[in-house]
Amino acid sequence: MNTTQQTGGQSPLTGQVLFYQQPQPLSPEDHGGLGVKQIPEPFGFLRQAHAVPVTVTEFGLAASSYPIIFVGNDRTPVAVMGVRQGQNLFVDEQGRVGEDHYVPAFVRRYPFVFAADDASDRLVLCVDRAAPMVSNQPEVPFFENGQPSKFTNDAIEFCKEFERQRRATADFVKMLVELDLMEQKTVAFQPRDNQGNPVGDQQKIADYYAISEERLNALPEAKYLELRNNGAVGACYAHLVSLLNWPKVIQRAVRLSPPAPLNA
C-alpha cells in the first residue's frame, strides 16, 4: 500500500479511530495557515480512553505500567489504562500522564493519523482539525512556503514507523493464533470494606484474550526456537508479566472513585 502526506481536496476516508473527531487529509491548500500550539492539558484527549492500542515493540515498556491484553476478533493488543468505559486512570487533573508511566505511540502521534483512501490503494496523512492543539495561530506551523515544515515531516516519519509497527503487530498476533497460544481469560474484582472483608458479589471487569504460558512452554522445540529467534518470545513474556498490573489498576480505580461499579 502506498502512502502520501498531501492531497488537494477532501478524499473519502475509511475507518474511525480513537480520539479523532474531524480527521482531514493534510494539505497546504486547506491547512496552510494552521499548526500546533502548547495547550494547558496536553493529554486531556486521553481522559476518556480506558484502553489504548499498543504495538508489539512497545510491550516491554508498557508492561511496567499497564496490563496488556488482546481484544476483539482481531485480538488487538491494548494497554489497559482504566477499568470503566470512558475513564482513564492515568491522566491527572492537569491533563498529564505521570513521568513514571509509559505513553503509547498511538497517543503520541495525535493529532496525526494515516487513513485509507477509498479511491486508491494508499494511505493519506490526516490531521484532526478538532484537536485542541491545532490552531490558526500556531507556535509551530504545518507548512512553510507551501511545503511541509520540519515538524510535519517528523510527524510523517513517526506515522510511517507506527504503520510499520502496526503491521508487524498484526503478523505477531497472527502467529500466536496459528500456534494456538491464545486463551480466553476473565478478570474480576471483589469489593471489600475498610476492614478488608468481602462486600457483595464479585464484579467482572473484562473478558479478554491472553497468551497461555502453559501452551507457550509446551511448544515443540523448533517452534519455540523460531519464536525466540524472531524476537517474539520476549514480547510474549512482557505480556505475561504485564498481567501482574491488574491489581494495581483495580486498586487505583477503587481509590479514585469507589462508588461507581467497575466494568471495562
Side-chain angles (χ1 to χ4, degrees):
M1 184 175 287
N2 297 321
T3 61
T4 181
Q5 64 266 27
Q6 298 178 56
T7 181
Q10 299 297 320
S11 299
L13 304 173
T14 61
Q16 292 183 330
V17 186
L18 185 67
F19 310 141
Y20 298 81
Q21 299 178 42
Q22 193 180 343
Q24 300 175 353
L26 187 65
S27 71
E29 294 85 0
D30 297 327
H31 308 101
L34 300 183
V36 294
K37 65 177 182 179
Q38 288 189 336
I39 57 175
E41 299 184 353
F43 289 113
F45 65 89
L46 184 57
R47 275 205 180 95
Q48 295 183 344
H50 73 298
V52 175
V54 289
T55 63
V56 65
T57 55
E58 298 179 279
F59 279 21
L61 292 167
S64 65
S65 299
Y66 323 108
I68 299 169
I69 63 176
F70 299 86
V71 298
N73 292 333
D74 293 336
R75 317 281 174 95
T76 302
V78 299
V80 178
M81 303 181 74
V83 296
R84 300 178 179 93
Q85 291 281 354
Q87 182 188 45
N88 190 308
L89 299 169
F90 294 87
V91 179
D92 64 21
E93 294 179 355
Q94 288 73 45
R96 300 178 185 276
V97 177
E99 293 182 0
D100 52 341
H101 296 295
Y102 178 70
V103 179
F106 187 96
V107 176
R108 287 182 279 120
R109 69 176 177 168
Y110 189 75
F112 297 101
V113 64
F114 274 136
D117 186 347
D118 279 342
S120 61
D121 184 28
R122 64 175 184 170
L123 294 174
V124 178
L125 184 74
C126 296
V127 63
D128 184 2
R129 185 62 185 86
M133 68 283 294
V134 173
S135 172
N136 58 9
Q137 295 181 317
E139 297 171 10
V140 181
F142 290 147
F143 296 94
E144 295 175 337
N145 300 319
Q147 297 299 315
S149 64
K150 181 181 184 304
F151 172 78
T152 298
N153 281 324
D154 288 345
I156 290 168
E157 291 307 312
F158 188 92
C159 287
K160 284 182 178 179
E161 179 59 25
F162 181 86
E163 180 64 16
R164 284 191 287 268
Q165 296 303 331
R166 186 194 66 78
R167 294 181 183 188
T169 302
D171 291 340
F172 171 74
V173 171
K174 181 181 178 183
M175 180 175 57
L176 296 179
V177 172
E178 288 176 348
L179 292 173
D180 194 26
L181 294 180
M182 293 279 205
E183 63 180 352
Q184 289 187 293
K185 301 191 77 170
T186 297
V187 61
F189 166 71
Q190 174 61 63
R192 297 180 182 275
D193 61 22
N194 293 335
Q195 287 72 45
N197 300 311
V199 178
D201 298 329
Q202 278 199 343
Q203 298 179 17
K204 184 169 72 173
I205 295 174
D207 293 313
Y208 62 95
Y209 292 97
I211 295 171
S212 165
E213 186 173 12
E214 182 180 357
R215 295 183 194 178
L216 180 62
N217 291 334
L219 279 176
E221 184 177 1
K223 288 293 184 182
Y224 187 88
L225 289 176
E226 183 180 337
L227 288 180
R228 188 194 69 181
N229 292 339
N230 64 24
V233 167
C236 290
Y237 280 105
H239 154 70
L240 290 169
V241 169
S242 81
L243 298 180
L244 299 175
N245 287 316
W246 272 122
K248 181 172 66 175
V249 174
I250 292 169
Q251 289 307 313
R252 195 179 187 94
V254 171
R255 185 172 67 252
L256 290 178
S257 47
L262 300 172
N263 185 17

